[in-house]
Amino acid sequence: MTHFVNAKEVSGDLVAHLVNMTKSGADQIGGADYTFDCTGNVTVMRQALEACHRGWGMSVIIGVAGAGQEIATRPFQLVTGRVWKGTAFGGARGRSDVPKIVDWYMEKEDSDRPDDHPHPAA
């Protein structure tokens, strides 16, 4: 199940809240299978990792942190099986993938393309 949690509505530790809401049945460890951060905030990046399930949770960083900022966590978070990944452009490789995407787009029917010219108001 996918959940959205507004951090402003959580009183106390956000990571503990997320871990506790994902505990169920035989799984009393809790933690999300996947977390995604697209804020660019290094504190949120760490929280996203720590909210992942020990053993198999994966946290993906999408947002770009400010110049010179570093992310940090305790090694325990990683040696217990969590995975911390980052992605840019959805994982597309600029030199090989972008030309293919442009070719694909240009081959589409005109009716499938975005309408990029002005129209008079009705």
Side-chain angles (χ1 to χ4, degrees):
M1 177 177 277
T2 301
H3 298 282
F4 174 81
V5 176
N6 184 342
K8 292 179 181 180
E9 296 174 359
V10 175
S11 60
D13 181 22
L14 177 61
V15 172
H17 175 81
L18 296 171
V19 169
N20 286 329
M21 73 182 284
T22 56
K23 290 180 181 178
S24 65
D27 181 8
Q28 289 303 304
I29 293 174
D33 293 336
Y34 299 95
T35 61
F36 300 89
D37 166 63
C38 53
T39 66
N41 181 316
V42 294
T43 300
V44 176
M45 292 174 186
R46 179 178 177 158
Q47 289 173 325
L49 174 70
E50 293 176 355
C52 283
H53 199 289
R54 284 194 322 249
W56 63 76
M58 180 184 296
S59 183
V60 181
I61 297 171
I62 302 166
V64 178
Q69 289 189 316
E70 296 181 358
I71 54 177
T73 194
R74 297 179 312 272
F76 174 80
Q77 299 297 333
L78 298 171
V79 299
T80 54
R82 292 177 179 94
V83 176
W84 214 356
K85 297 181 78 167
T87 185
F89 307 110
R93 296 176 303 269
R95 289 186 179 215
S96 60
D97 292 345
V98 171
K100 292 176 189 174
I101 294 168
V102 170
D103 289 343
W104 170 77
Y105 177 78
M106 296 305 292
E107 291 171 2
K108 290 175 70 174
E109 296 291 326
D110 286 337
S111 62
D112 291 338
R113 292 189 188 159
D115 193 356
D116 62 356
H117 56 278
H119 292 274

